[in-house]
Every structure is written in C-alpha cells, then in structure tokens.
Amino acid sequence: MDMEIEQESNYNKPKKLKNFMSIKTLLILIYCIFLSVGQISGVLLVRIYYLHGGNRKWLQSLLLTVGFPILIIPISISYVKKKKKNTNNNNIRFFVTPKLAIFSAILGILLGICSYLYTIGASYLPVSISSLLSSTSLAFTAIFAYFMVKHKFTDYSVNAVVLMMLGSIILGLHMNGDRPIGESNRQYTLGFVMIIIGAALHGIINAGVEYSHVKAGVVVTFDLVMQVQFLISMFSSLFCIVAMIINRDFQAITREAEEFGLGQRKYYMILALSAISLQSMMIGNLGMIFCSSALLSGIVNALLVPIQQIFAVMFLPERFNSDKWMALAMCLWGFASYFYGEYKESITNKVTKTKHTTLPDQV
C-alpha cells in the first residue's frame, strides 16, 4: 500500500513540474514581448525627441521609470484575488521583505544613473550605433553574473564577450560616417563613451537584480516581480526628479515644448509614449531576470539589435554602412555562440538529471 502511494506521488511530481514549467515559459514569453515592444519603440521615440530640438537629458532619464504608478493596477488586482481565495487567512504577504526593499532602493538609484548615461549617448549617437553599443551589456552581464551569482564561463560565452567588444571597437575607430550636422567630435566621442559605461552599469544592475532575489531567499512570483519593479522604478524616478529640480528642468519644459520642431502637441505626445514604452521595457527586462536569469535578458536585448537597425533606417534619417554591418555581424555571431553554449549546457544538465532520477528505480 505504501509503495502504491509512493509510486502515485512520484507519478504526479513530473506532471506538476511540467505545469509549473509551462506557466513559467508563458510568463517568460509575455515578458519578452513587453521587452521587445518597449525597447524598439522607446529608443526610436527618444531619438526623435533629440532630433527635433529636445535637450532635457534628466527628463528623458525620468521617462524610463516614471510610468511606475501603472503597476499599482496589477498589484492591486492580484492582492484582491488572493484575499478572496484566502478568506480564512489574514496574513497574506503583500509587501516585499525589508532586505529586498533595500536592494531595490540601491538598484533604483543605479538605474537612474544608468538611464542618464544612456540618454547622453542617445542624444549624440544614431540609433544604429547606440543600439549596437548597448548590446555589449550582454558581455558585461555575463562578467558580473560570474562574480555575483556564480554563473560559469564557457568557451562560448567568452567568445561572445570578445566578439561584442571587438564590434564596439570597430564602431569606435570608424565613427565619422553619419554624425549629425553641427555635432562636434567631442560630443560624438562623449556619446560613445557614455553608452559603453551605461552598458557596463546595466550589466551590474541585471546581475544585481538576480543576486537580490537569490539572497533575499523568497519564492519568485508575479506579485514579487511587480512589487520589486515598482520599488526600483520609484527610487529611480525620485533620483531623476531631484536631479531635474537641481538642474531646473521643470521650468524649461514649457519653453522647450513651444520650440519643439514637430509642434507642442506632438512634444507631449512623444514624452507620454516614451514613458509607456520604456516602462514596458522595464517590466519585460526585470520579469525575465526574475523568471529566468539576467543572462537571458541580456541575450534578448542583444537579439533585438538587428530589429532596431531596421526600424531606425525605416523611420529615421540614418544609413547602414559597412562598418555597422561588420559590427552587427559580430554581435549576431557572439549572440549565436552564447545561445548555442547555453543550449548545450541545458541538454547536458537534462541528461545528468535523467541519469540521477532513473538510477534509484533501477536499484
């Protein structure tokens, strides 16, 4: 009798695991869509803002996370549903742990700095170059994930890091092709350097998010992802708002809107759409890190690079020269190498787990 119960429980385990994995895969897919739509549209809108006379860098930094209040809706809906299901249990956890809240505050401030660095780069560089440079965040994510969450380096990941760095060097050595009219060499170089530093900081943040939920010792749920996203975005927004007050950006918004090349109405429309798009990107990025890993988020970011190139050429006054094609080829080669390495490792892990689970039954 005991053996029958044990066999039945062993039979149900794979079924439960399979259902959990299918839900997790669906969540990853949803977050991937959020990340893709937000990143492609957000980057284009930011560049349009600068091309037509916009010049408030802290304002653009704020737009990355200022849409965080919208997260109150899914958090509240989830909380109400849990409350109805658990009528006899009043101890429903609603807020994240204090340790995770501290991590979120630190990551939020770092995100505000990272966003500012990216906006400086976006103001001086074409989308085709800035997106290629920002894709190096995968390399930085891999490096910092190795030190922070002990993700192992393989020959494939090392190959990906080297190729992406070489692609950035190629762009750095040949960066005079499509410089905007009236932009100095100093400004162009500054934009290039800021994007690279921003990509490095982005790598730290991605690894830091994964590190935070590992160290906090909590189960990853949809509620947790939304709450952490809310806190990180809130602290990042507060950081940018303080900087805007010091820089007197709020007083300059009305004047900038009146002088905007596409008109005052489209100025505010671009700001609103940018906030929605960039918040979508943030939700997708953090959601993928929590449901999978920082490295998967970095891989998807790198994969979106060629799509951004296509949209930039279609909707912006940009062209794609041979240097960019070579850098793009290196980026895709690096991505393919990294993805193949991760695929091989997952297959090896599955085989190992299968051997471990079947051996006791044979005995």
Side-chain angles (χ1 to χ4, degrees), residues 257-291:
E258 293 172 353
E259 298 172 355
F260 192 64
L262 297 176
Q264 191 170 351
R265 186 179 175 184
K266 287 186 178 179
Y267 174 84
Y268 290 112
M269 189 184 297
I270 287 170
L271 292 185
L273 291 174
S274 296
I276 295 169
S277 298
L278 294 171
Q279 189 62 56
S280 171
M281 181 184 74
M282 283 293 301
I283 293 171
N285 187 55
L286 285 181
M288 290 188 73
I289 293 172
F290 270 95
C291 288

Short mmCIF file of all heavy atoms in Angstrom, two decimals, residues 257-291:
data_model
loop_
_atom_site.label_atom_id
_atom_site.label_comp_id
_atom_site.label_asym_id
_atom_site.label_seq_id
_atom_site.Cartn_x
_atom_site.Cartn_y
_atom_site.Cartn_z
N ALA A 257 8.75 72.81 -25.19
CA ALA A 257 7.59 72.34 -25.94
C ALA A 257 7.19 73.34 -27.03
O ALA A 257 6.82 72.96 -28.15
CB ALA A 257 6.42 72.09 -25.00
N GLU A 258 7.25 74.63 -26.70
CA GLU A 258 6.90 75.67 -27.66
C GLU A 258 7.88 75.74 -28.83
O GLU A 258 7.51 76.07 -29.95
CB GLU A 258 6.84 77.03 -26.96
CG GLU A 258 5.70 77.15 -25.95
CD GLU A 258 5.78 78.41 -25.12
OE1 GLU A 258 6.81 79.14 -25.25
OE2 GLU A 258 4.84 78.68 -24.34
N GLU A 259 9.15 75.42 -28.57
CA GLU A 259 10.19 75.49 -29.60
C GLU A 259 10.44 74.15 -30.30
O GLU A 259 11.27 74.07 -31.19
CB GLU A 259 11.50 75.97 -28.97
CG GLU A 259 11.41 77.37 -28.35
CD GLU A 259 12.66 77.74 -27.56
OE1 GLU A 259 13.55 76.86 -27.43
OE2 GLU A 259 12.73 78.89 -27.08
N PHE A 260 9.71 73.11 -29.92
CA PHE A 260 9.94 71.77 -30.48
C PHE A 260 9.61 71.74 -31.96
O PHE A 260 8.61 72.32 -32.41
CB PHE A 260 9.07 70.76 -29.72
CG PHE A 260 9.43 69.32 -30.00
CD1 PHE A 260 10.67 68.81 -29.65
CD2 PHE A 260 8.52 68.48 -30.62
CE1 PHE A 260 10.99 67.48 -29.89
CE2 PHE A 260 8.82 67.15 -30.86
CZ PHE A 260 10.07 66.65 -30.50
N GLY A 261 10.46 71.06 -32.73
CA GLY A 261 10.34 71.06 -34.19
C GLY A 261 9.05 70.49 -34.73
O GLY A 261 8.56 70.92 -35.78
N LEU A 262 8.43 69.53 -34.05
CA LEU A 262 7.20 68.89 -34.53
C LEU A 262 5.95 69.51 -33.94
O LEU A 262 4.83 69.05 -34.20
CB LEU A 262 7.24 67.39 -34.20
CG LEU A 262 8.35 66.57 -34.87
CD1 LEU A 262 8.32 65.14 -34.38
CD2 LEU A 262 8.24 66.63 -36.38
N GLY A 263 6.11 70.53 -33.12
CA GLY A 263 4.96 71.19 -32.50
C GLY A 263 4.76 70.80 -31.04
O GLY A 263 5.24 69.75 -30.59
N GLN A 264 4.05 71.65 -30.33
CA GLN A 264 3.86 71.48 -28.89
C GLN A 264 3.05 70.22 -28.56
O GLN A 264 3.37 69.49 -27.63
CB GLN A 264 3.14 72.71 -28.33
CG GLN A 264 3.12 72.76 -26.81
CD GLN A 264 2.61 74.10 -26.30
OE1 GLN A 264 2.43 75.05 -27.06
NE2 GLN A 264 2.38 74.20 -25.01
N ARG A 265 2.02 69.95 -29.35
CA ARG A 265 1.17 68.80 -29.09
C ARG A 265 1.94 67.49 -29.24
O ARG A 265 1.83 66.60 -28.39
CB ARG A 265 -0.02 68.83 -30.06
CG ARG A 265 -1.06 67.76 -29.80
CD ARG A 265 -2.20 67.89 -30.80
NE ARG A 265 -3.15 66.80 -30.64
CZ ARG A 265 -4.20 66.63 -31.43
NH1 ARG A 265 -4.45 67.50 -32.41
NH2 ARG A 265 -5.03 65.61 -31.24
N LYS A 266 2.72 67.40 -30.31
CA LYS A 266 3.49 66.18 -30.54
C LYS A 266 4.63 66.03 -29.53
O LYS A 266 5.07 64.92 -29.25
CB LYS A 266 4.04 66.16 -31.97
CG LYS A 266 2.97 65.91 -33.02
CD LYS A 266 3.56 65.75 -34.41
CE LYS A 266 2.45 65.45 -35.42
NZ LYS A 266 3.00 65.32 -36.80
N TYR A 267 5.09 67.13 -28.99
CA TYR A 267 6.12 67.09 -27.96
C TYR A 267 5.64 66.31 -26.75
O TYR A 267 6.30 65.37 -26.28
CB TYR A 267 6.50 68.52 -27.56
CG TYR A 267 7.47 68.61 -26.39
CD1 TYR A 267 8.84 68.51 -26.60
CD2 TYR A 267 7.00 68.82 -25.09
CE1 TYR A 267 9.73 68.60 -25.52
CE2 TYR A 267 7.88 68.91 -24.02
CZ TYR A 267 9.24 68.80 -24.25
OH TYR A 267 10.12 68.88 -23.19
N TYR A 268 4.46 66.68 -26.27
CA TYR A 268 3.91 66.00 -25.09
C TYR A 268 3.49 64.56 -25.43
O TYR A 268 3.57 63.67 -24.58
CB TYR A 268 2.73 66.78 -24.53
CG TYR A 268 3.13 68.09 -23.89
CD1 TYR A 268 2.77 69.31 -24.45
CD2 TYR A 268 3.89 68.11 -22.72
CE1 TYR A 268 3.14 70.52 -23.87
CE2 TYR A 268 4.27 69.31 -22.13
CZ TYR A 268 3.90 70.51 -22.71
OH TYR A 268 4.28 71.70 -22.13
N MET A 269 3.05 64.36 -26.67
CA MET A 269 2.67 63.01 -27.10
C MET A 269 3.89 62.09 -27.11
O MET A 269 3.82 60.94 -26.66
CB MET A 269 2.05 63.07 -28.50
CG MET A 269 1.42 61.75 -28.95
SD MET A 269 0.82 61.85 -30.65
CE MET A 269 -0.45 63.11 -30.46
N ILE A 270 5.02 62.60 -27.58
CA ILE A 270 6.26 61.81 -27.62
C ILE A 270 6.73 61.48 -26.22
O ILE A 270 7.16 60.35 -25.93
CB ILE A 270 7.36 62.56 -28.42
CG1 ILE A 270 7.04 62.53 -29.91
CG2 ILE A 270 8.74 61.94 -28.17
CD1 ILE A 270 7.92 63.42 -30.76
N LEU A 271 6.61 62.45 -25.31
CA LEU A 271 7.01 62.20 -23.92
C LEU A 271 6.14 61.12 -23.28
O LEU A 271 6.64 60.23 -22.59
CB LEU A 271 6.91 63.49 -23.10
CG LEU A 271 7.91 64.61 -23.42
CD1 LEU A 271 7.74 65.76 -22.44
CD2 LEU A 271 9.35 64.11 -23.40
N ALA A 272 4.81 61.20 -23.53
CA ALA A 272 3.89 60.22 -22.94
C ALA A 272 4.13 58.82 -23.50
O ALA A 272 4.20 57.83 -22.75
CB ALA A 272 2.45 60.65 -23.19
N LEU A 273 4.28 58.73 -24.82
CA LEU A 273 4.53 57.42 -25.45
C LEU A 273 5.88 56.85 -25.04
O LEU A 273 6.02 55.63 -24.87
CB LEU A 273 4.45 57.55 -26.97
CG LEU A 273 3.06 57.83 -27.57
CD1 LEU A 273 3.17 58.09 -29.06
CD2 LEU A 273 2.12 56.65 -27.30
N SER A 274 6.86 57.72 -24.86
CA SER A 274 8.19 57.27 -24.40
C SER A 274 8.09 56.67 -23.01
O SER A 274 8.69 55.61 -22.74
CB SER A 274 9.17 58.45 -24.38
OG SER A 274 9.39 58.95 -25.67
N ALA A 275 7.34 57.32 -22.12
CA ALA A 275 7.18 56.82 -20.75
C ALA A 275 6.53 55.45 -20.74
O ALA A 275 6.95 54.53 -20.03
CB ALA A 275 6.36 57.81 -19.93
N ILE A 276 5.48 55.27 -21.58
CA ILE A 276 4.77 53.97 -21.65
C ILE A 276 5.68 52.89 -22.22
O ILE A 276 5.77 51.78 -21.69
CB ILE A 276 3.49 54.11 -22.50
CG1 ILE A 276 2.50 55.05 -21.81
CG2 ILE A 276 2.85 52.74 -22.73
CD1 ILE A 276 1.33 55.46 -22.69
N SER A 277 6.37 53.23 -23.31
CA SER A 277 7.25 52.25 -23.98
C SER A 277 8.40 51.83 -23.07
O SER A 277 8.70 50.63 -22.95
CB SER A 277 7.81 52.84 -25.28
OG SER A 277 6.79 53.14 -26.18
N LEU A 278 9.04 52.80 -22.45
CA LEU A 278 10.20 52.49 -21.60
C LEU A 278 9.80 51.74 -20.33
O LEU A 278 10.55 50.89 -19.85
CB LEU A 278 10.94 53.78 -21.25
CG LEU A 278 11.60 54.49 -22.45
CD1 LEU A 278 12.12 55.86 -22.05
CD2 LEU A 278 12.73 53.65 -23.03
N GLN A 279 8.60 52.03 -19.81
CA GLN A 279 8.12 51.27 -18.65
C GLN A 279 7.82 49.83 -19.04
O GLN A 279 8.09 48.89 -18.28
CB GLN A 279 6.87 51.93 -18.07
CG GLN A 279 6.42 51.33 -16.74
CD GLN A 279 7.46 51.51 -15.64
OE1 GLN A 279 7.88 52.61 -15.35
NE2 GLN A 279 7.88 50.41 -15.03
N SER A 280 7.29 49.66 -20.25
CA SER A 280 7.07 48.30 -20.77
C SER A 280 8.38 47.55 -20.88
O SER A 280 8.47 46.36 -20.54
CB SER A 280 6.39 48.39 -22.15
OG SER A 280 6.35 47.13 -22.77
N MET A 281 9.40 48.23 -21.36
CA MET A 281 10.74 47.62 -21.46
C MET A 281 11.25 47.22 -20.09
O MET A 281 11.82 46.13 -19.91
CB MET A 281 11.71 48.61 -22.11
CG MET A 281 13.12 48.08 -22.29
SD MET A 281 14.26 49.33 -22.95
CE MET A 281 14.47 50.37 -21.50
N MET A 282 11.04 48.07 -19.09
CA MET A 282 11.50 47.78 -17.73
C MET A 282 10.79 46.56 -17.16
O MET A 282 11.40 45.69 -16.53
CB MET A 282 11.25 48.99 -16.83
CG MET A 282 12.25 50.11 -17.00
SD MET A 282 13.88 49.63 -16.44
CE MET A 282 13.54 49.24 -14.73
N ILE A 283 9.48 46.48 -17.36
CA ILE A 283 8.70 45.34 -16.87
C ILE A 283 9.22 44.05 -17.51
O ILE A 283 9.42 43.04 -16.82
CB ILE A 283 7.20 45.52 -17.19
CG1 ILE A 283 6.62 46.69 -16.37
CG2 ILE A 283 6.42 44.24 -16.90
CD1 ILE A 283 5.22 47.08 -16.76
N GLY A 284 9.43 44.09 -18.83
CA GLY A 284 9.92 42.91 -19.53
C GLY A 284 11.31 42.50 -19.08
O GLY A 284 11.57 41.30 -18.86
N ASN A 285 12.20 43.48 -18.89
CA ASN A 285 13.57 43.18 -18.50
C ASN A 285 13.64 42.55 -17.11
O ASN A 285 14.25 41.48 -16.94
CB ASN A 285 14.39 44.48 -18.53
CG ASN A 285 15.87 44.22 -18.31
OD1 ASN A 285 16.50 43.44 -19.01
ND2 ASN A 285 16.45 44.87 -17.32
N LEU A 286 13.00 43.18 -16.13
CA LEU A 286 13.04 42.64 -14.76
C LEU A 286 12.26 41.34 -14.65
O LEU A 286 12.67 40.43 -13.92
CB LEU A 286 12.48 43.67 -13.78
CG LEU A 286 13.40 44.85 -13.46
CD1 LEU A 286 12.72 45.77 -12.45
CD2 LEU A 286 14.72 44.39 -12.89
N GLY A 287 11.16 41.23 -15.38
CA GLY A 287 10.37 39.99 -15.35
C GLY A 287 11.16 38.80 -15.86
O GLY A 287 11.11 37.71 -15.28
N MET A 288 11.92 38.99 -16.92
CA MET A 288 12.73 37.91 -17.48
C MET A 288 13.85 37.52 -16.53
O MET A 288 14.21 36.34 -16.41
CB MET A 288 13.30 38.32 -18.84
CG MET A 288 12.25 38.41 -19.92
SD MET A 288 12.95 38.67 -21.55
CE MET A 288 13.63 37.06 -21.87
N ILE A 289 14.43 38.50 -15.84
CA ILE A 289 15.51 38.20 -14.89
C ILE A 289 14.96 37.36 -13.73
O ILE A 289 15.56 36.36 -13.34
CB ILE A 289 16.14 39.50 -14.35
CG1 ILE A 289 16.88 40.23 -15.47
CG2 ILE A 289 17.11 39.19 -13.21
CD1 ILE A 289 17.37 41.61 -15.09
N PHE A 290 13.79 37.74 -13.22
CA PHE A 290 13.21 37.02 -12.09
C PHE A 290 12.74 35.62 -12.49
O PHE A 290 12.90 34.67 -11.73
CB PHE A 290 12.06 37.81 -11.48
CG PHE A 290 12.48 38.76 -10.40
CD1 PHE A 290 12.74 40.09 -10.68
CD2 PHE A 290 12.65 38.32 -9.10
CE1 PHE A 290 13.14 40.97 -9.69
CE2 PHE A 290 13.06 39.19 -8.10
CZ PHE A 290 13.30 40.52 -8.39
N CYS A 291 12.13 35.50 -13.68
CA CYS A 291 11.59 34.20 -14.10
C CYS A 291 12.68 33.28 -14.66
O CYS A 291 12.50 32.07 -14.67
CB CYS A 291 10.52 34.40 -15.16
SG CYS A 291 9.00 35.09 -14.50
#
